[in-house]
């Protein structure tokens, strides 16, 4: 794997994680303030833009690598999103949830490399 | 859970857990369409194809995009009611549905290591699903 491919995999993963957290924020905001306000629209637009970047980078990577090779990196998103949601969105994170997320990530990686 | 919206959970088609299931189903189908579509139009020699935009030449990719948009709308709805620390790990059930789908529908073999991975994900999902039961009790 070239350095460029690794860089693109990381960018794709990070933009996906950031998009999920921003969209969660947007939807929480909309639950309290409705859909017709500039803050919701801008948060949702940033989230969708990041998702789009991640989507096309993945499509480019899929043309070069097997899905099973790229999948473990997607598996890492479980850990990143769970941890960052606890930090950035102040969601409750019990030891049980953390362990569950770790097992899911480990399982996805095993499935992908086997 | 700190999320107040879970208390006003709608029922029927608006049930966030049903929507989570629909979202997962759409992603499940779109993964197969995307890989197939991307392979059909692959141009590994072209630098432009790193952007993935040439994938749009495949009709399968467009079907996948439609399904992804549908799953995305369901997902946003789920996010409105369910904490992402619970919803996102649960949504990754698709990562074992895809290999299981290959096994059931395509007759592909699943190695011992892969079965172990699937088992780990199932145990992890069980751990994450327990707080879901707690959220439901509070409704």
């Amino acid at each position: 794997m070239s350095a460029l491919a690794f860089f693109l995999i990381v960018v794709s993963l990070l933009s996906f994680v950031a998009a999920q957290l921003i969209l969660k924020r947007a939807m929480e905001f909309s639950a309290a303030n409705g859909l017709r306000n500039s803050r919701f629209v801008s948060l949702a637009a940033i989230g969708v833009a990041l998702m789009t970047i991640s989507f096309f980078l993945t499509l480019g990577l899929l043309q070069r690598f097997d899905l099973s090779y790229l999948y473990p990196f997607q598996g890492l998103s479980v850990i990143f999103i769970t941890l960052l949601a606890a930090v950035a969105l102040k969601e409750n994170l019990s030891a049980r949830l953390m362990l569950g997320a770790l097992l899911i990530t480990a399982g996805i990686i095993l499935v992908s490399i086997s | 859970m700190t999320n107040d919206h879970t208390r006003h959970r709608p029922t029927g088609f608006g049930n966030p857990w049903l929507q989570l299931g629909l979202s997962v189903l759409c992603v499940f189908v779109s993964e197969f369409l995307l890989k197939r579509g991307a392979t059909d139009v692959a141009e590994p020699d072209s630098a432009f194809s790193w952007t993935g935009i040439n994938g749009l030449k495949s009709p399968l990719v467009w079907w996948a995009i439609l399904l992804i948009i549908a799953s995305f709308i369901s997902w946003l709805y789920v996010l409105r009611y369910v904490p992402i620390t619970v919803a996102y790990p649960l949504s990754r059930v698709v990562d074992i549905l895809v290999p299981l789908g290959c096994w059931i529908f395509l007759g592909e073999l699943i190695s011992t290591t892969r079965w172990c991975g699937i088992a780990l994900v199932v145990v992890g999902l069980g751990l994450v699903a327990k707080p879901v039961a707690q959220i439901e009790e509070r409704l």
Side-chain angles (χ1 to χ4, degrees):
Chain A
M1 178 175 57
S2 66
L4 173 66
F6 183 73
F7 174 73
L8 292 177
I9 287 171
V10 171
V11 172
S12 169
L13 176 64
L14 290 182
S15 54
F16 181 78
V17 169
Q20 290 294 343
L21 295 172
I22 289 167
L23 288 170
K24 172 64 180 163
R25 181 70 132 216
M27 292 317 289
E28 270 180 354
F29 192 78
S30 79
N33 303 285
L35 298 174
R36 289 185 193 177
N37 62 77
S38 58
R39 186 168 158 78
F40 166 75
V41 172
S42 48
L43 279 174
I46 294 168
V48 170
L50 286 169
M51 288 284 265
T52 309
I53 291 170
S54 171
F55 175 82
F56 280 109
L57 286 177
T58 305
L59 214 50
L61 288 162
L62 276 175
Q63 295 180 34
R64 291 166 174 80
F65 303 101
D66 284 339
L67 185 58
S68 60
Y69 178 80
L70 295 171
Y71 233 84
F73 298 99
Q74 284 190 359
L76 291 176
S77 63
V78 177
I79 288 295
F80 281 117
I81 287 176
T82 308
L83 281 178
L84 289 173
V87 175
L89 303 177
K90 310 271 189 293
E91 286 193 9
N92 286 342
L93 183 57
S94 60
R96 182 185 200 102
L97 263 180
M98 197 59 226
L99 183 62
L102 272 173
L103 286 175
I104 292 169
T105 302
I108 295 170
I109 292 173
L110 263 187
V111 165
S112 320
I113 63 175
S114 59
Chain B
M1 291 293 152
T2 53
N3 198 324
D4 286 343
H5 321 310
T6 48
R7 280 183 214 143
H8 312 293
R9 190 203 70 180
T11 52
F13 190 67
N15 183 322
W17 305 115
L18 173 67
Q19 291 295 325
L20 182 58
L22 286 177
S23 174
V24 165
L25 185 68
C26 290
V27 173
F28 172 69
V29 177
S30 73
E31 291 284 354
F32 287 97
L33 293 175
L34 271 187
K35 176 56 186 163
R36 183 71 185 278
T39 311
D40 284 352
V41 297
E43 298 168 65
D45 299 333
S46 139
F48 175 69
S49 71
W50 275 109
T51 63
I53 292 172
N54 65 316
L56 294 176
K57 280 187 269 183
S58 161
L60 291 179
V61 168
W62 283 100
W63 281 112
I65 289 173
L66 279 182
L67 283 175
I68 289 167
I69 290 171
S71 86
F72 184 66
I73 292 168
S74 291
W75 176 246
L76 286 184
Y77 184 82
V78 171
L79 286 185
R80 190 165 176 171
Y81 295 98
V82 184
I84 198 170
T85 44
V86 172
Y88 189 72
L90 286 183
S91 75
R92 296 332 291 171
V93 69
V94 75
D95 295 327
I96 58 172
L97 288 180
V98 171
L100 285 176
C102 294
W103 179 56
I104 295 167
F105 301 116
L106 305 177
E108 290 180 9
L109 287 176
I110 297 186
S111 67
T112 315
T113 323
R114 186 160 288 183
W115 278 120
C116 291
I118 290 173
L120 278 183
V121 174
V122 171
V123 175
L125 288 171
L127 286 175
V128 174
K130 184 69 192 298
V132 170
Q134 286 164 355
I135 294 172
E136 296 289 294
E137 276 168 24
R138 291 163 59 109
L139 287 171

